[in-house]
């Protein structure tokens, strides 16, 4: 059977970009596609590099959306914030499923180029740290690997001292009448959040009467979605790492899997999980 060439001219597609902005121009595609600097001749390093680039790009969008969502929560404008948090949850699903692609690389394949990474590790991903801070996992120590990059260090420092998404949700609840004490709504934002009985009580009131507090109830469910998916990301990272390097030490210097297992214990919105038992 003979295949026919489609006459693209007949569809009116623009084919001349001498004087018009093209797809590649708009995307700055050449910069994007020239950022894959392989450090070895190994076939599998391209996968390793691209997965990291993809995750960093998604992180960029996640931060863009969550910062905007937090601004909306601050101004008591919840509907647009739901659109953004829902988008972030869908992005996190993509980021979780990306581990399946990386897991096609075996231990033997990875070991052939692992030595070229030196001490480079996702541990030094400042966008991941910004995400942790926005989500409320505050820890000043993670700024230290960025001391040699003042602009990154400053961005992290600023986010460390900014109320997280959850802090802003609690401040909104207080403005709406929940009895939340100053140590919750005026705390030192650079410190990690600790569960408080007054917050649990406030969420319980919302979950007991969802119809009366519909938007706060929906906000709580959006937050649970985010934490659920963030946990899934950490879990899939851990299992992928164990599958590829077992209990070898990480290139970033930690013991590897035992460290990542410890990080799985992190709870970001504690009262939202607690009320599942209490209600
Ligand atoms: C073969 C693939 C991978 C291996 C073996 C691996 C291994 C590890 C290990 C052992 C750590 C602990 C820190 C250290 O000592 O290095 C770590 C941390 C981390 N990795 Fe990966 N990783 C891989 C892929 C990725 C990818 C694709 C990302 C995406 C950006 C990523 C992001 C991170 C982040 C954000 C941390 C810090 C986690 C925390 O401190 O809670 N990793 N990784």
């Amino acid at each position: 059977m003979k295949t026919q060439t489609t006459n693209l001219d007949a569809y009116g597609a623009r084919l001349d970009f001498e004087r018009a902005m093209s797809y590649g121009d708009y995307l700055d595609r050449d910069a994007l596609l020239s950022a894959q600097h392989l450090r070895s001749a190994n076939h599998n390093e391209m996968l390793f590099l691209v997965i990291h680039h993809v995750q960093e790009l998604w992180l960029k969008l996640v931060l863009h959306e969550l910062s905007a969502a937090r601004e909306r929560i601050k101004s008591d404008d919840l509907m647009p914030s739901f659109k953004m948090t829902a988008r972030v949850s869908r992005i996190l699903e993509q980021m979780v499923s990306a581990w399946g692609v990386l897991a096609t690389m075996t231990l033997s394949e990875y070991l052939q180029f692992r030595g070229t990474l030196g001490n480079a590790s996702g541990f030094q991903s400042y966008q991941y740290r910004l995400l942790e801070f926005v989500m409320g996992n505050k820890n000043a120590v993670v700024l230290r690997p960025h001391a040699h990059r003042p602009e990154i260090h400053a961005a992290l420092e600023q986010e460390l001292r900014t109320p997280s998404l959850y802090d802003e949700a609690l401040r909104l609840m207080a403005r709406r009448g929940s009895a939340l004490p100053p140590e919750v709504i005026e705390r030192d934002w650079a410190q990690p959040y600790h569960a408080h009985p007054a917050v649990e009580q406030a969420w319980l009131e919302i979950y007991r009467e969802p119809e009366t507090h519909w938007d706060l109830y929906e906000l709580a469910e959006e937050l649970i979605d985010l934490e659920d998916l963030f946990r899934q990301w950490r879990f899939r990272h851990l299992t992928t790492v164990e599958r590829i390097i077992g209990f070898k030490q990480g290139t970033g210097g930690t013991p590897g899997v035992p460290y990542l297992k410890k990080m799985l214990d992190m709870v970001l919105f504690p009262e939202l999980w607690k009320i599942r038992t209490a209600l």
Side-chain angles (χ1 to χ4, degrees), residues 95-129:
M95 292 175 71
V96 171
S97 61
W99 292 117
V101 183
L102 185 58
T104 62
M105 180 177 71
T106 67
L107 164 67
S108 333
E109 288 168 346
Y110 181 48
L111 289 183
Q112 285 169 35
F113 65 88
R114 189 179 189 231
T116 63
L117 303 178
N119 287 121
S121 162
F123 188 89
Q124 301 132 24
S125 165
Y126 79 87
Q127 291 205 107
Y128 182 79
R129 297 310 178 200

Side-chain angles (χ1 to χ4, degrees), residues 48 51-52 55-56 59 99 102 105 110 121-123 125 128-129 132 233 237 241 244-245 249-257 259-260 263:
F48 183 80
I51 287 279
H52 280 86
Q55 298 263 7
E56 288 288 342
L59 281 172
W99 292 117
L102 185 58
M105 180 177 71
Y110 181 48
S121 162
F123 188 89
S125 165
Y128 182 79
R129 297 310 178 200
E132 285 193 308
W233 188 92
H237 177 239
V241 169
I244 299 180
I245 61 164
Q249 194 187 24
T251 49
T254 78
V257 164
Y259 165 76
L260 295 172
M263 293 301 115

